Amino acid sequence: MCLVDKDSRGGAGAAPPGPLRIARAILALPGLVLGVVPLVIVALAQGPPLRPLPWPLVAAAPAATGLALMAWTIALFARRGKGTLAPWDAPTRLVVLGPYRHVRNPMMVGVLLVLLAEATAFRAPLLWAWLGFGIVAVPVFVSRVEERRLLRRFGAEYERYRRAVPAWIPRPTPWDGA
């Protein structure tokens, strides 16, 4: 079974999005969630955030992992899915390669890991609250909005994938599409 060649719009030769389309989607979504909101939170925090030396080092692992997952999935969406991470410019092909063979939501896992890294590095209570909100809101959004869209767009192929690959805890072996 081919893991990524179904095109919901019927066009097999769609071109991948250009750098500007990808950059707009990144700035609009992760840029806001991981950049603007945390900067505002830290700026508005009462007093300077606590930053003893080891905390930024502890935050490096989840930050690096989260950013790597996000970069990988954004690249897969562009090259294989012929779209971006933005719902208004979504991939036209179902992407179930790379990290998607282990977990259905690697980009969202990456976002939550970066939020964890920011909360750990800056230790601002409002950043921990922002992370908590993300831990609750992201799965609700994914299950109530995103998965329904994917089912409508990709039908039985997405349903088969959804039954085989867990949403949040990676499966130890990659799904082969069977």
Side-chain angles (χ1 to χ4, degrees):
M1 173 185 168
C2 182
L3 293 176
V4 72
D5 287 331
K6 180 176 180 180
D7 185 333
S8 70
R9 295 181 196 154
L20 205 53
R21 251 174 75 193
I22 295 168
R24 271 196 307 256
I26 291 169
L27 288 173
L29 297 169
L32 180 66
V33 172
L34 301 174
V36 174
V37 171
L39 282 172
V40 168
I41 288 172
V42 170
L44 296 176
Q46 295 290 330
L50 302 172
R51 283 186 271 172
L53 185 59
W55 289 109
L57 297 175
V58 171
T65 304
L67 290 170
L69 272 173
M70 291 170 54
W72 193 0
T73 57
I74 289 167
L76 283 171
F77 275 14
R79 279 184 297 204
R80 303 295 289 226
K82 311 295 187 208
T84 72
L85 60 105
W88 60 86
D89 192 16
T92 60
R93 295 178 175 182
L94 181 61
V95 177
V96 292
L97 297 171
Y100 288 97
R101 293 179 67 197
H102 293 273
V103 66
R104 286 197 319 264
N105 300 295
M107 185 179 303
M108 295 299 197
V109 170
V111 167
L112 293 174
L113 285 170
V114 172
L115 287 177
L116 172 65
E118 291 174 342
T120 301
F122 292 102
R123 298 179 59 209
L126 285 176
L127 280 178
W128 287 104
W130 183 235
L131 170 63
F133 173 76
I135 289 170
V136 171
V138 165
V140 169
F141 170 78
V142 166
S143 67
R144 295 202 175 153
V145 177
E146 191 169 280
E147 288 194 340
R148 290 178 184 174
R149 272 191 211 140
L150 290 167
L151 271 172
R152 279 193 306 273
R153 291 179 69 210
F154 300 110
E157 186 177 7
Y158 179 73
E159 182 58 38
R160 185 174 49 254
Y161 169 69
R162 188 170 78 161
R163 277 183 277 156
V165 178
W168 303 105
I169 311 258
R171 56 183 278 149
T173 58
W175 183 59
D176 64 3

